[in-house]
Amino acid sequence: MVAVFGDSAVLDRVNAARAADAPIWDIDVRSYETHDRVEHYVGLFSISAKERFLARLSRGTRYEPMIRAKLRASGMPEDLTYLALIESGYDPHAYSRAAAVGMWQFMSSTARDVGMRVDWWMDERRDPARSTDGAIRFLGYLQKQFGSLYLAAAAYNGGPGRVARGLTRFASEMDGAEGEDRFFALAEQDYLRAETKNYVPQIIAAALVAKMPARYGLVIDSLPLYGYDSVLVTPGTSLAHIAAASGATKSEVRDLNPAVLRGITPPDASIWARVPVGLADRTRIALDSIPEANRRGYHTAAVSGNSATLAGFADKQGVTLKQLRWFNPTIKTTKKGRLVAGQSLRIPSDLAIDFAREIPDPGLERYGGSSPSTLSSRGIHVVKRGESLGAIAKRYGTTVTRLKSLNGMKGSRLIAGQTLRLRSGSTTTSSKSSSAKKSTAKKSTAKKSTAKKSPVVKKKTASPNKKTPPRT
């Protein structure tokens, strides 16, 4: 199965537009290019933070054709690719202090809700293709909810609940604002966090600079396009065996399989592992010639008595305690910390260890540095996966109607990680699990912002150059 991303039609249009200095955007850029915050970030990206921005644009040349192809196929504007630029600088392994991960900076609960696997063995937030699918799904939901791409982007950053409550709370102040102007009208109020107010202007500025690099004195280095072939492999297959079977290098296999965390495919499921383009058949034949047990990146060893310690058992098996824990996320121990007899533990091979990534537990989540119990004491509830408004209302002795009123909700849909006000006067730190995140791109730019508030910018007559590119 071949999955090579790169659309020549898209690239031809972009290159032709750049050559003629007549770029084409499919998000509204021209109406807001003179907005104070947009102009501030254009200057930041093209002057004071030029080298950093260039490095991120260069990294994006590897992934942007894939992202644009997926956006186009979904009916979403292709220039939403710049959201990933602002989120992470197109870094698949970006990791924020709030435990948001990947190119699109998802929290684990939100990632699971949009169809990604996030657990001890795999973290598809790190996979450029899978995380892009998730981001498109989530942005599509937000666009339908708010009827505006820029409000959807603000909700992606600051939380759908916060944006919805703001629209309700400041409805009279925003009277007359339509379309994308509604974001800028809401941003003028003393309500959204500075990071969220600056988020959309950063996306617009990035689109302006990225599509007119010559105008700003930028020369973007291009990287090879992101592409791969896929091979179905059995549970627990070592990435080292996949590399050997395909003839690819360690770095190539690790780069194409960023979601595989422990050097082996998940022990509980077969997955499509990735190899460089053109090597699928060779890899499949070579792997089929190896007995399944030998393809695994580990063997098992039984605990024979209750007196064994974790460190002693690991030492006996020739691995470190850390390595033993890497491949055994659930180890049964007695109250005294001894291993429970009868259990079998995975003992990783040296090659599997060599391919493993030393990263935090993907299940970790933090909500603005506050624990759920601390938030609850402040009148805030963090929505867990599967919870309903009815169940939450019953837990706190209130009603669904009251909860919806407090949180400016029209419907009853909840998103894991969303925060709900439980009583009047309580304030939420975020309404989507990813709203607490601080990606590297946003931290470096939001802190430097000195732009002052400006009046709502009403849309101008569309520029003759601003048109949606034909869909192919």
Side-chain angles (χ1 to χ4, degrees):
M1 184 176 86
V2 180
V4 181
F5 297 102
D7 189 296
S8 59
V10 171
L11 295 176
D12 288 345
R13 286 201 303 272
V14 172
N15 290 334
R18 285 175 175 170
D21 197 26
I24 298 171
W25 293 276
D26 56 8
I27 60 175
D28 192 349
V29 169
R30 288 298 194 191
S31 296
Y32 307 106
E33 62 183 327
T34 59
H35 189 281
D36 283 355
R37 289 193 182 98
V38 174
E39 289 186 331
H40 168 76
Y41 285 109
V42 166
L44 188 69
F45 297 155
S46 61
I47 303 173
S48 55
K50 176 179 176 179
E51 294 306 316
R52 181 180 299 172
F53 189 71
L54 263 177
R56 292 172 177 176
L57 284 179
S58 178
R59 187 188 297 130
T61 62
R62 174 165 168 76
Y63 302 107
E64 192 176 330
M66 175 271 292
I67 295 172
R68 287 184 177 277
K70 286 180 175 290
L71 285 164
R72 184 172 65 255
S74 71
M76 298 286 282
E78 293 180 26
D79 288 335
L80 285 176
T81 181
Y82 299 118
L83 191 148
L85 187 153
I86 299 303
E87 283 289 338
S88 68
Y90 295 112
D91 182 359
H93 294 290
Y95 187 89
S96 79
R97 290 180 297 178
V101 171
M103 185 182 294
W104 296 93
Q105 288 289 277
F106 275 104
M107 298 295 285
S108 59
S109 55
T110 309
R112 293 187 188 103
D113 281 350
V114 295
M116 283 181 264
R117 176 169 178 168
V118 181
D119 56 29
W120 185 257
W121 302 104
M122 288 194 73
D123 187 352
E124 290 187 324
R125 295 175 296 175
R126 298 173 184 271
D127 184 287
R130 292 286 293 139
S131 63
T132 296
D133 291 336
I136 290 172
R137 192 172 296 116
F138 191 50
L139 284 166
Y141 160 68
L142 294 173
Q143 184 185 19
K144 288 179 181 177
Q145 179 178 357
F146 297 110
S148 157
L149 278 174
Y150 289 163
L151 283 175
Y156 189 96
N157 173 262
R162 177 171 287 273
V163 171
R165 289 191 295 275
L167 293 174
T168 300
R169 178 175 171 181
F170 298 101
S172 59
E173 289 87 340
M174 297 173 59
D175 187 40
E178 298 179 354
E180 304 300 2
D181 283 349
R182 294 168 66 216
F183 163 77
F184 289 92
L186 181 59
E188 287 179 15
Q189 313 307 318
D190 187 17
Y191 177 72
L192 296 176
R193 292 178 301 122
E195 179 185 317
T196 305
K197 289 182 179 182
N198 293 325
Y199 192 68
V200 169
Q202 286 185 70
I203 293 172
I204 295 172
L208 281 165
V209 177
K211 284 197 170 182
M212 296 188 292
R215 175 177 295 184
Y216 299 99
L218 305 182
V219 178
I220 303 170
D221 294 329
S222 295
L223 299 178
L225 291 179
Y226 176 66
Y228 54 81
D229 282 0
S230 298
V231 180
L232 187 64
V233 298
T234 52
T237 299
S238 167
L239 289 184
H241 279 92
I242 295 172
S246 66
T249 65
K250 172 186 174 182
S251 62
E252 287 175 323
V253 171
R254 291 185 91 224
D255 178 62
L256 292 176
N257 296 276
V260 179
L261 303 181
R262 312 300 170 189
I264 61 172
T265 62
D268 61 349
S270 296
I271 68 165
W272 288 95
R274 295 170 179 173
V275 294
V277 174
L279 300 181
D281 291 339
R282 170 181 175 175
T283 305
R284 186 180 302 107
I285 293 171
L287 287 177
D288 286 346
S289 68
I290 305 172
E292 183 176 342
N294 294 345
R295 284 181 238 150
R296 293 197 192 106
Y298 63 89
H299 67 275
T300 58
V303 179
S304 58
N306 287 325
S307 61
T309 65
L310 278 168
F313 184 84
D315 185 62
K316 183 178 180 180
Q317 299 298 326
V319 296
T320 66
L321 179 56
K322 179 190 291 186
Q323 291 164 353
L324 183 68
R325 290 188 182 278
W326 276 359
F327 289 80
N328 297 276
T330 55
I331 299 177
K332 298 176 183 178
T333 59
T334 65
K335 292 181 179 179
K336 294 183 178 181
R338 306 284 179 172
L339 287 170
V340 173
Q343 63 182 308
S344 292
L345 299 181
R346 300 181 191 90
I347 310 302
S349 68
D350 290 342
L351 287 174
I353 291 171
D354 188 43
F355 275 74
R357 300 180 188 274
E358 187 171 1
I359 63 169
D361 181 355
L364 290 175
E365 286 208 356
R366 294 183 287 279
Y367 301 92
S370 299
S371 68
S373 60
T374 301
L375 291 171
S376 178
S377 68
R378 290 164 45 196
I380 299 168
H381 176 78
V382 180
V383 177
K384 298 180 179 63
R385 189 176 187 184
E387 284 189 317
S388 66
L389 275 176
I392 294 170
K394 182 177 180 181
R395 174 177 175 181
Y396 293 103
T398 185
T399 65
V400 170
T401 300
R402 175 67 172 160
L403 283 178
K404 291 172 72 172
S405 176
L406 284 171
N407 292 278
M409 298 173 64
K410 294 182 179 179
S412 299
R413 175 171 177 145
L414 296 175
I415 300 171
Q418 179 178 343
T419 55
L420 298 176
R421 296 168 62 188
L422 303 174
R423 56 178 181 265
S424 298
S426 61
T427 57
T428 56
T429 55
S430 68
S431 294
K432 181 174 79 74
S433 57
S434 63
S435 67
K437 64 184 180 279
K438 296 284 186 181
S439 69
T440 304
K442 288 181 288 188
K443 285 189 290 182
S444 64
T445 53
K447 291 181 180 178
K448 298 180 181 179
S449 174
T450 57
K452 62 182 180 179
K453 293 182 181 179
S454 57
V456 177
V457 179
K458 297 298 182 182
K459 289 188 179 179
K460 305 173 185 176
T461 304
S463 164
N465 290 329
K466 186 177 96 51
K467 58 183 179 180
T468 302
R471 302 190 185 282
T472 56

